[in-house]
């Protein structure tokens, strides 16, 4: 299925966030509960699964994230949502098989990326696993100069070229999968390779609005540190919603009507839709 990629100016990043806020405030408690469920699920898999198998968590988390996006779409269509709507992706219309295949590929590439990190940061790992490092970290009277010195020794053990190579690989990985899930599920993209390529191309053609979007989100996240990270309960759901809005603006500018003919879509302002 051919999907056109739209290109936006830098100010679109701010508009996407505004759209996310407009949608979030229609049912804030439900969106917060959905975000918490995804976060707790992540934590659960991190605790239960051995470190070498934690990449398997990408499979259910991928489906739950798409379930969150489905809830956003339902709100735009004028419907009501509940927490358990996040599971509808497992049973409702959509390219579930394609999403499953995408998650398997993502897990495989994540393992390759993990192996690459071990190779590139082998010397840093040796410093971290050194008995002297463990002794310093376990010292209850550890001072800030000691922490700074330890951090500097870890950084100095990493060649600059290795850091650059890893950051490039990480960026390509994240950019390739960022929009691939929605493309496969909502736009019924049959080719996983095409979905990954289109997702990566979004960052090439829309780096300015995505840069503005990411910078604003990062700034608010940093500010939340001064309030014990509590604002993240509101900020993160808005970021999730806004990111899906950016996907819609780039790949799906018209919100499809609801399957329920009795549901009246929200107005353009209420739903967060805009003509960027």
């Amino acid at each position: 299925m051919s999907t056109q990629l739209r290109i936006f100016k830098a100010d679109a990043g701010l508009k996407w966030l505004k759209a996310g806020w407009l949608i979030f405030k229609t049912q804030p408690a439900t969106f917060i509960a959905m975000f918490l469920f995804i976060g707790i699920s992540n934590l659960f898999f991190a605790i239960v699964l051995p470190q070498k198998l934690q990449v398997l968590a990408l499979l259910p988390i991928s489906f739950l994230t798409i379930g969150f996006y489905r809830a956003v779409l339902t709100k735009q269509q004028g419907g009501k949502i509940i927490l358990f709507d996040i599971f509808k992706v497992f049973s409702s219309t959509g390219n579930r098989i394609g999403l499953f295949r995408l998650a398997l590929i993502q897990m495989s590439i994540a393992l390759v990326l993990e192996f690459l990190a071990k190779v590139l940061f082998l010397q840093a790992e040796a410093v971290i696993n050194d008995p002297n490092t463990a002794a310093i970290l376990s010292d209850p009277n550890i001072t800030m100069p000691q922490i700074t010195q330890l951090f500097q020794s870890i950084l100095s053990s990493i060649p600059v070229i290795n850091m650059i190579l890893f950051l490039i690989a990480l960026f390509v990985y994240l950019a390739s999968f960022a929009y691939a899930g929605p493309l496969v599920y909502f736009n019924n993209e049959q080719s996983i390779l095409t979905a990954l390529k289109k997702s990566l191309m979004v960052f090439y053609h829309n780096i300015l609005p995505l840069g503005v979007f990411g910078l604003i989100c990062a700034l608010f996240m940093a500010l939340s540190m001064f309030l014990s990270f509590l604002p993240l309960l509101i900020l993160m759901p808005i970021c999730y919603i806004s990111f899906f809005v950016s996907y819609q603006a780039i790949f799906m500018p018209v919100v499809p009507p609801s399957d329920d003919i009795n549901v009246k879509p929200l107005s353009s302002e209420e739903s967060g839709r805009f003509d960027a």
Side-chain angles (χ1 to χ4, degrees):
M1 181 178 177
S2 178
T3 307
Q4 291 292 104
L5 188 158
R6 301 173 73 206
I7 302 173
F8 293 91
K9 296 179 180 179
D11 65 340
L14 182 59
K15 292 180 180 179
W16 295 335
L17 282 167
K18 178 183 177 183
W21 161 248
L22 291 173
I23 298 170
F24 171 79
K25 69 179 185 178
T26 60
Q27 274 191 247
T30 307
F31 282 120
I32 290 174
M34 286 182 172
F35 164 73
L36 282 175
F37 186 84
I38 294 175
I40 292 172
S41 298
N42 252 320
L43 182 62
F44 172 79
F45 290 120
I47 294 174
V48 172
L49 294 176
Q51 186 175 2
K52 293 183 178 180
L53 297 179
Q54 287 181 5
V55 69
L56 295 175
L58 287 172
L59 181 59
I61 296 303
S62 296
F63 275 78
L64 291 175
T65 302
I66 294 297
F68 187 98
Y69 293 159
R70 274 187 56 92
V72 175
L73 185 59
T74 299
K75 287 305 303 179
Q76 291 175 320
Q77 293 171 333
K80 297 290 184 181
I81 59 173
I82 59 174
L83 172 61
F84 292 102
D85 285 344
I86 203 170
F87 296 107
K88 281 189 175 180
V89 67
F90 293 99
S91 59
S92 301
T93 304
N95 189 1
R96 297 189 300 275
I97 299 299
L99 191 60
F100 180 77
R101 288 168 49 217
L102 177 67
L104 290 179
I105 293 173
Q106 186 176 7
M107 286 190 293
S108 300
I109 297 179
L111 287 173
V112 173
L113 200 62
E114 183 179 345
F115 175 77
L116 179 64
K118 286 184 177 295
V119 172
L120 294 177
F121 304 139
L122 191 61
Q123 295 178 0
E125 185 177 6
V127 174
I128 294 172
N129 294 329
D130 187 275
N132 293 329
T133 301
I136 294 173
L137 292 176
S138 61
D139 185 356
N141 299 317
I142 187 172
T143 62
M144 185 56 67
Q146 287 178 305
I147 296 176
T148 303
Q149 184 179 5
L150 181 60
F151 184 70
Q152 289 175 344
S153 65
I154 294 174
L155 285 181
S156 63
S157 67
I158 304 174
V160 176
I161 186 63
N162 289 16
M163 178 63 74
I164 293 174
L165 286 174
F166 180 75
L167 289 178
I168 291 174
L170 182 62
F171 173 79
V172 172
Y173 167 76
L174 294 175
S176 297
F177 285 96
Y179 291 98
L183 277 169
V184 168
Y185 186 81
F186 295 104
N187 284 72
N188 200 32
E189 180 60 66
Q190 298 299 313
S191 171
I192 301 298
L193 183 60
T194 300
L196 294 174
K197 179 181 177 181
K198 287 180 178 179
S199 180
L200 184 59
M201 286 299 99
V202 169
F203 286 81
Y204 175 76
H205 291 290
N206 286 287
I207 189 64
L208 289 179
L210 286 172
V212 170
F213 174 81
L215 186 62
I216 295 174
C217 289
L219 177 61
F220 278 109
M221 288 179 190
L223 292 175
S224 71
M225 294 172 55
F226 300 101
L227 295 171
S228 303
F229 293 103
L230 289 178
L232 291 181
L233 290 176
I234 295 175
L235 176 62
M236 292 308 298
I238 294 175
C239 290
Y240 269 60
I241 297 169
S242 301
F243 190 77
F244 182 63
V245 169
S246 75
Y247 158 76
Q248 289 180 305
I250 295 168
F251 291 109
M252 195 172 68
V254 178
V255 176
S258 172
D259 294 333
D260 187 350
I261 60 174
N262 296 315
V263 172
K264 181 182 178 182
L266 298 179
S267 67
S268 177
E269 181 179 354
E270 291 172 324
S271 68
R273 299 298 297 158
F274 60 93
D275 184 15

